[in-house]
Amino acid sequence: MLNEAKKLWEGVLGQIKPKIPSQNYETWLEPTEGETLTQNTLWVRVPNAFFIDWIEEHYHASIYEILGTLNQEHLKVKYKSVEGGKEKSVPSRVYQPDSSHLQPRYTFDNFIIGESNNFARAASLAVAKTPGRQYNPLFIYGSVGLGKTHLLQAVGNYIKERFSGLKVYYLGCEEFMNEMIDAIQANKIMQFKNKYRRKDALLIDDIQFLEGKEGLQEEVFHTFNALYDEGKQIVFSSDRPPGSLENLEERLVSRFQGGLVCDIKPPTFETRIAILKRKASSTDVQVSDEVISFIANEIRGNIRELEGALIKLFAFASLTNGTIDIDRARDLLSDLLSKNGREVTIGKIQKLVANHYNISLASMRGKRRMQSIVLPRDVAIYLSREYTASSLKEIGKVFGGRDHTTVIHAHNKIKNLLNRNNALSEEVNNIIKSVTC
Ligand code: ADP
Ligand code: MG
């Protein structure tokens, strides 16, 4: 079935090619080849294992959609890598969740701890060790690519491994809704309800998806109550704190706030280095400390992008047997770097917040403590801490030379206010939107 595999894969690639940037196509898909076709599986040969991660992460959905249009929806695509001349068949890692929807690659062991995620990680581990008993619910929030899914999944994997009698289940909020809609249409809402109420630990990711969806909120609320009353563990993640979620019923917000709410911030430089080094050490490719520092310096706010950058360099190095110096890295990562140029900076936050509250930039950055200036300044400090990778000291310096305890104090003050004060939380939300776009 050799030629058929080749032809079929070429057919798939032919349809993907016009949809993605040509540089990506040339790097990731052109070097692949359909190899064998069996009744259920299309085997594709790729140059090395990094390709498998990348292709599955970025093109999985398109590949299956195209296979569907070619009447091959029953097929699974699996990849084989050829490394050092030897053939290695690698099980598909990313998209083979088990019946709990857990992916074994997310663990506490491979979660690098830093100042930015220490709290969320410690809380997650505590919950995993004593499900339903300590912090319930646990609510983790932070912006995209900072490890929320990783932690939820790590909780699930830990519970599954240590407490084999417990039923643990992970899913995205959107998936919860789709299932609910299907159940309603098929008149199977009771089965749906029972399915979730029988879990011992339920991990619901990206709960911000609830915003404005009343029916879904109702169902989450009841599922939550049923589980909570029986002492079952619930963990939520969101891109914002509960008080900043819009169009969310008050009773649900107060449920979220009734347990432990903790945040994950963008990683500091040291944490970024540690993550890159850990990732690099799991491969044969040599990357110099200089290049690692370069990546950590250039890509600040998102760990997924940090990993993506490294994978790209690895793929290049192993394809060409080439070494990677800074110039080469800069060149290969140009698309990622230019995107990070639009990164959130303290300067941008200060300007937008000052504008919003109609105060001058000079007073925002000054030392005066008039009431009309203090709140905007504290909001800007809060956002700087949440949305940039700057240290407490760096933040204090550009807000009138304040010391790090003042920064912590301002941050905590706003954080508490946001959880209680909906009007402020709405205001801050609007500012966040303009800061991050
Ligand atoms: P989020 O759900 O917050 O958008 P993810 O959990 O999907 O982010 O994380 C993005 C990627 O970064 C994942 O591959 C994850 O394994 C990795 N990652 C995030 N935080 C860490 C960390 N502290 N140590 C190691 N890898 C991390
Ligand atoms: Mg996620």
Side-chain angles (χ1 to χ4, degrees):
M1 297 294 221
L2 195 122
N3 277 334
E4 269 185 64
K6 202 166 163 181
K7 255 196 251 152
L8 178 57
W9 186 243
E10 275 170 7
V12 172
L13 295 189
Q15 289 196 41
I16 296 187
K17 193 173 178 178
K19 293 188 199 155
I20 64 174
S22 61
Q23 200 206 1
N24 286 356
Y25 182 82
E26 282 154 25
T27 312
W28 298 108
L29 295 173
E30 209 162 71
T32 65
E33 195 176 273
E35 194 179 66
T36 340
L37 185 63
T38 66
Q39 211 174 2
N40 303 315
T41 309
L42 168 62
W43 281 97
V44 174
R45 180 185 285 269
V46 298
N48 63 54
F50 300 121
F51 278 72
I52 302 176
D53 281 349
W54 186 277
I55 293 174
E56 292 206 322
E57 181 130 5
H58 293 84
Y59 307 125
H60 173 86
S62 312
I63 290 171
Y64 281 95
E65 202 183 306
I66 294 168
L67 283 175
T69 66
L70 299 172
N71 287 332
Q72 304 284 355
E73 56 275 329
H74 62 285
L75 280 182
K76 262 201 151 53
V77 182
K78 291 187 181 169
Y79 303 91
K80 265 184 195 173
S81 78
V82 197
E83 267 170 318
K86 261 195 266 150
E87 207 170 84
K88 194 162 91 181
S89 150
V90 186
S92 177
R93 271 174 289 176
V94 182
Y95 287 97
Q96 278 195 336
D98 65 4
S99 60
S100 332
H101 286 193
L102 293 171
Q103 295 168 14
R105 76 180 174 113
Y106 294 115
T107 62
F108 284 112
D109 287 343
N110 62 20
F111 189 84
I112 305 284
I113 309 169
E115 195 193 317
S116 55
N117 59 30
N118 197 9
F119 180 33
R121 185 237 174 224
S124 302
L125 187 59
V127 155
K129 285 183 171 166
T130 55
R133 298 227 305 275
Q134 281 204 56
Y135 308 118
N136 209 8
L138 174 63
F139 189 105
I140 299 174
Y141 74 91
S143 74
V144 66
L146 298 185
K148 301 182 297 293
T149 298
H150 191 132
L151 280 180
L152 257 62
Q153 288 260 342
V155 168
N157 281 318
Y158 190 100
I159 294 179
K160 196 171 143 213
E161 199 185 307
R162 315 279 157 116
F163 305 96
S164 57
L166 295 188
K167 288 195 276 308
V168 48
Y169 198 78
Y170 163 94
L171 86 169
C173 189
E174 188 170 4
E175 220 179 318
F176 188 81
M177 182 179 80
N178 291 338
E179 233 182 87
M180 183 181 97
I181 292 171
D182 288 348
I184 292 170
Q185 280 170 355
N187 235 340
K188 288 187 173 160
I189 194 74
M190 271 332 281
Q191 279 101 315
F192 170 79
K193 285 180 194 286
N194 288 335
K195 171 178 169 186
Y196 287 101
R197 288 167 204 191
R198 274 201 290 264
K199 304 299 177 203
D200 297 299
L202 185 61
L203 317 163
I204 308 189
D205 213 349
D206 295 316
I207 201 86
Q208 72 274 3
F209 192 76
L210 283 178
E211 284 183 324
K213 303 191 177 74
E214 283 160 27
L216 183 60
Q217 291 179 21
E218 179 86 13
E219 203 49 55
V220 169
F221 182 73
H222 291 305
T223 306
F224 174 88
N225 285 344
L227 291 172
Y228 184 81
D229 287 345
E230 291 194 35
K232 309 293 180 60
Q233 181 69 49
I234 306 127
V235 185
F236 296 108
S237 87
S238 159
D239 65 355
R240 268 156 290 158
S244 304
L245 291 166
E246 287 168 24
N247 297 323
L248 197 68
E249 289 179 47
E250 198 46 50
R251 57 180 185 164
L252 205 49
V253 176
S254 71
R255 285 290 185 277
F256 292 156
Q257 291 169 338
L260 178 65
V261 177
C262 50
D263 62 343
I264 306 192
K265 293 190 194 61
T268 59
F269 180 72
E270 289 73 23
T271 312
R272 298 199 294 277
I273 294 271
I275 290 172
L276 288 168
K277 284 200 164 158
R278 167 74 79 96
K279 190 96 188 162
S281 70
S282 64
T283 75
D284 300 337
V285 182
Q286 298 292 324
V287 189
S288 68
D289 284 355
E290 207 187 355
V291 169
I292 296 261
S293 300
F294 169 75
I295 303 175
N297 244 325
E298 295 291 331
I299 299 176
R300 297 180 170 206
N302 182 329
I303 296 171
R304 188 173 295 126
E305 285 184 356
L306 209 58
E307 285 184 347
L310 200 56
I311 289 177
K312 197 162 180 182
L313 298 189
F314 288 163
F316 173 85
S318 58
L319 277 181
T320 59
N321 285 328
T323 50
I324 295 177
D325 56 19
I326 302 261
D327 285 340
R328 173 72 66 195
R330 194 188 303 279
D331 192 32
L332 284 168
L333 304 179
S334 56
D335 50 340
L336 274 173
L337 301 187
S338 60
K339 199 165 141 237
N340 274 266
R342 291 200 301 272
E343 202 189 11
V344 179
T345 60
I346 300 183
K348 191 171 164 193
I349 290 173
Q350 289 178 322
K351 271 187 214 137
L352 285 164
V353 177
N355 255 343
H356 181 89
Y357 287 101
N358 217 359
I359 63 167
S360 72
L361 202 52
S363 43
M364 166 73 74
R365 292 174 179 162
K367 288 189 189 304
R368 297 179 62 191
R369 297 204 45 87
M370 268 154 56
Q371 196 49 38
S372 57
I373 297 172
V374 170
L375 180 76
R377 188 188 288 137
D378 287 349
V379 165
I381 291 177
Y382 169 83
L383 291 175
S384 302
R385 181 117 173 85
E386 293 286 321
Y387 289 91
T388 74
S390 311
S391 67
L392 294 168
K393 212 167 140 194
E394 283 162 354
I395 297 174
K397 201 167 143 201
V398 290
F399 283 92
R402 292 176 156 75
D403 70 8
H404 73 281
T405 50
T406 317
V407 174
I408 294 176
H409 178 75
H411 178 264
N412 285 343
K413 181 178 125 189
I414 298 297
K415 192 169 161 182
N416 291 333
L417 275 176
L418 288 180
N419 274 329
R420 290 201 310 268
N421 181 335
N422 282 337
L424 179 69
S425 123
E426 199 166 308
E427 253 176 53
V428 170
N429 237 333
N430 287 334
I431 302 174
I432 290 171
K433 276 190 197 137
S434 48
V435 166
T436 51
C437 76

